[in-house]
Amino acid sequence: LPPFIRHTSCPATPATSLSKVCPHQTTVPSGGFFSWALEFFFPAAWRAAMPPQSRHAFSVEKLLREGVVFFVTRFGGVLAGCGGIKMFGAEYGEVKRMFVRPVFRGKGLGKAMLSHLAEYARTRDASVLRLETGIYEVDAIGLYERFGFQRRAPFGEYVEDPLSVYFEKNIG
């Protein structure tokens, strides 16, 4: 695993061994680094661009409440991307808040993050990754398809939404 992937709750701790996940990952205060990182990557203006019924991204509070494990990537010491995963037991892991800043795209950070999230899910006995993304996220859709994700019907609490695309990948 590349050394630039870090746990947001322990930014100085490399996530090189998924068996040693930071014990503080779900106790990050909503006003701390976690909130700052999400606002940095997903500003309110960006979130407001979608109609309310198509805004599926969790708030910081809901991410914490739902036990989403969140990671950031750094490139040259600069925050470059992020991604989270919500586990649904051993059934599947859902990729949440996956993003690489445009200036850092094409450097393998998105693929590295997806690989990290897949390994995290595998260590928790999940054999499937799922995700939802917006239809206008062309770069993200390309990344997911190159990584082997296949389009699928809505899952979990999602309902059919013309502005969303749903994906799944077997990681078992």
Side-chain angles (χ1 to χ4, degrees), residues 3-135:
F4 49 78
I5 294 182
R6 307 275 191 250
H7 296 283
T8 57
S9 53
C10 295
T13 304
T16 56
S17 174
L18 293 178
S19 63
K20 297 179 181 175
V21 173
C22 171
H24 306 291
Q25 65 196 16
T26 60
T27 60
V28 178
S30 62
F33 178 81
F34 190 64
S35 293
W36 178 86
L38 288 177
E39 184 59 30
F40 179 78
F41 289 113
F42 301 96
W46 178 83
R47 294 188 307 268
M50 296 294 274
Q53 68 274 17
S54 295
R55 291 185 206 149
H56 303 295
F58 286 3
S59 67
V60 171
E61 291 76 21
K62 188 169 183 178
L63 286 165
L64 291 170
R65 199 172 48 248
E66 299 281 328
V68 174
V69 181
F70 189 74
F71 304 92
V72 298
T73 62
R74 298 174 191 271
F75 190 84
V78 177
L79 284 175
C82 61
I85 188 164
K86 179 180 178 187
M87 297 304 301
F88 289 83
E91 185 180 349
Y92 66 93
E94 181 182 353
V95 175
K96 305 294 281 181
R97 296 288 188 112
M98 176 79 187
F99 185 78
V100 174
R101 293 171 57 199
V103 68
F104 295 107
R105 292 181 185 163
K107 299 180 184 316
L109 301 178
K111 183 179 176 185
M113 179 61 76
L114 286 173
S115 294
H116 181 71
L117 296 174
E119 183 59 26
Y120 182 89
R122 273 192 293 275
T123 64
R124 280 138 188 88
D125 298 323
S127 61
V128 173
L129 281 183
R130 292 182 179 155
L131 64 89
E132 175 276 336
T133 194
I135 61 171

Side-chain angles (χ1 to χ4, degrees), residues 141-158:
I141 290 168
L143 171 67
Y144 301 140
E145 289 176 340
R146 285 189 306 278
F147 197 75
F149 278 89
Q150 302 292 315
R151 291 180 189 229
R152 58 155 293 138
F155 59 92
E157 296 180 4
Y158 294 106

